[in-house]
Amino acid sequence: MGCRFWLWLLVSLSHVCGTSRGTGERVLGTLGMATTLRVPPEFQNLTRRFGEATWKRHTEDPKHKLVLLRYTEGNYTNYKMGRTRFHEVDFSLEILNTSRQDRQLYEYSVNKGPAEEVLQIWLDVFEPVSDPRIQHLSWSMANGSCTITLNCTAERGDNISYSWVNQDLSTPGLCSSSGSILHLSYPLQNTSISCSCRATNPVSYQVVTFNSSGCSYKQDDSSRLTRNQLILVVLPVVLVMIFIMVICWRRHTACKKQEHPPVAQATGVHTIYSQVQRVERRRSHPTEHPPCTTIYAAATGQPLDKAPGPSRAPSPSSSSPEQPQEPTTVYACVMMPVA
């Protein structure tokens, strides 16, 4: 292992470095959206010159690579149809619907015969930031100033960072903060305080604004009920109140009917036949029954079948209390005084 060995090792390394040269860059992909892996002009010229190129993707196994596309003299074979799209104009590869599994190292290699030019692209995938929301954590009033603690959060997104900035130039530095928590303190005479929270990640950002007009929980505009939420809250309450009012009205009507029962129907009209004897002189035959005069009288009141007296005529068949009773005929004989 003298000088000859070290000379051979140096020549081998120089050969390897001369036959393959790699350059790398980083591409940011958005989850659920298309991501394009672009080829720089240098590699575009090499591809047109030599006419052979290949797109590959690394896997979890460092010894294994997945071939995505092969290009040869104007023709190409896409091994991931439906997942990728090849652009012949600039030889770029478009991933149609980026997923977290696409986060990997990609290679674009140009075959130059005994040598090879390799372009390495690292694809990083991020979920975009959703709309942030401002929440009150605490508030207090003391010594003529208002102190509020706010928290800005977004429900979805990868690697989110938060920052607070002033929207009102008249109060510089009042809302400056580099995190999601903001401790805000201002005099009560300040009637207009405006602070903005910015939620950011490598592929997107969202902004929400806090507007203050006093010192209370009502300052948080983002926590107010929307019109649809207000309808969903108020409508069931109104329906319940109407239902209760209908039940109370029915009970009140039923109580009135019990206190004032309907007037009973008028009793039937009963006809009484009376015989009254006329005044005449005493005849020679006292044993004879003096003649009588019949008087028709109409009477109302208690049914005749309940009235006392031996001269009551038999009443017809009884009827139900609800039905009016039929007229009843009563025959009474009244003797007139004899002169």
Side-chain angles (χ1 to χ4, degrees), residues 122-159:
W122 174 259
L123 175 61
D124 230 340
V125 180
F126 297 91
E127 182 180 11
V129 178
S130 62
D131 293 333
R133 183 172 180 266
I134 297 176
Q135 296 176 328
H136 282 89
L137 298 183
S138 64
W139 71 281
S140 62
M141 289 185 295
N143 300 325
S145 64
C146 180
T147 301
I148 302 176
T149 301
L150 305 175
N151 184 28
C152 179
T153 56
E155 293 183 358
R156 298 184 306 277
D158 296 326
N159 297 359

Side-chain angles (χ1 to χ4, degrees), residues 269-273 303-305 313-316 325-330:
V269 177
H270 306 282
T271 303
I272 302 176
Y273 298 91
L304 294 178
D305 57 356
S315 63
Q325 298 186 3
E326 298 294 333
T328 305
T329 303
V330 179

Side-chain angles (χ1 to χ4, degrees), residues 51-121:
E52 291 187 8
T54 306
W55 273 104
K56 302 176 183 178
R57 189 183 74 179
H58 287 222
T59 62
E60 299 297 332
D61 185 0
K63 299 180 181 180
H64 177 71
K65 296 180 183 179
L66 181 65
V67 178
L68 303 177
L69 183 138
R70 292 186 185 275
Y71 174 83
T72 305
E73 298 295 339
N75 298 318
Y76 67 91
T77 303
N78 189 350
Y79 297 102
K80 292 294 180 180
M81 289 294 295
R83 290 282 295 118
T84 62
R85 180 185 296 146
F86 180 66
H87 299 274
E88 295 185 62
V89 177
D90 57 358
F91 310 105
S92 61
L93 185 68
E94 181 182 3
I95 301 174
L96 300 179
N97 186 11
T98 307
S99 64
R100 297 191 185 276
Q101 288 73 22
D102 295 323
R103 183 179 180 271
Q104 196 52 261
L105 180 64
Y106 293 78
E107 285 185 359
Y108 180 76
S109 60
V110 179
N111 188 2
K112 300 195 309 181
E116 186 179 52
E117 291 285 342
V118 178
L119 170 68
Q120 292 186 335
I121 301 175

Side-chain angles (χ1 to χ4, degrees), residues 216-281:
S216 66
Y217 281 106
K218 295 181 180 180
Q219 300 170 35
D220 187 1
D221 293 337
S222 62
S223 62
R224 292 179 181 175
L225 290 175
T226 62
R227 182 180 300 178
N228 293 336
Q229 292 173 338
L230 188 61
I231 292 176
L232 292 177
V233 172
V234 174
L235 185 59
V237 177
V238 173
L239 294 177
V240 171
M241 292 178 63
I242 294 175
F243 180 73
I244 294 175
M245 290 175 64
V246 170
I247 293 179
C248 293
W249 178 78
R250 288 185 177 180
R251 290 185 177 180
H252 180 70
T253 304
C255 292
K256 277 192 172 182
K257 289 182 178 180
Q258 292 179 0
E259 292 177 0
H260 304 285
V263 180
Q265 297 181 355
T267 56
V269 177
H270 306 282
T271 303
I272 302 176
Y273 298 91
S274 301
Q275 291 182 351
V276 181
Q277 187 177 11
R278 293 179 298 178
V279 179
E280 295 182 356
R281 293 182 179 181

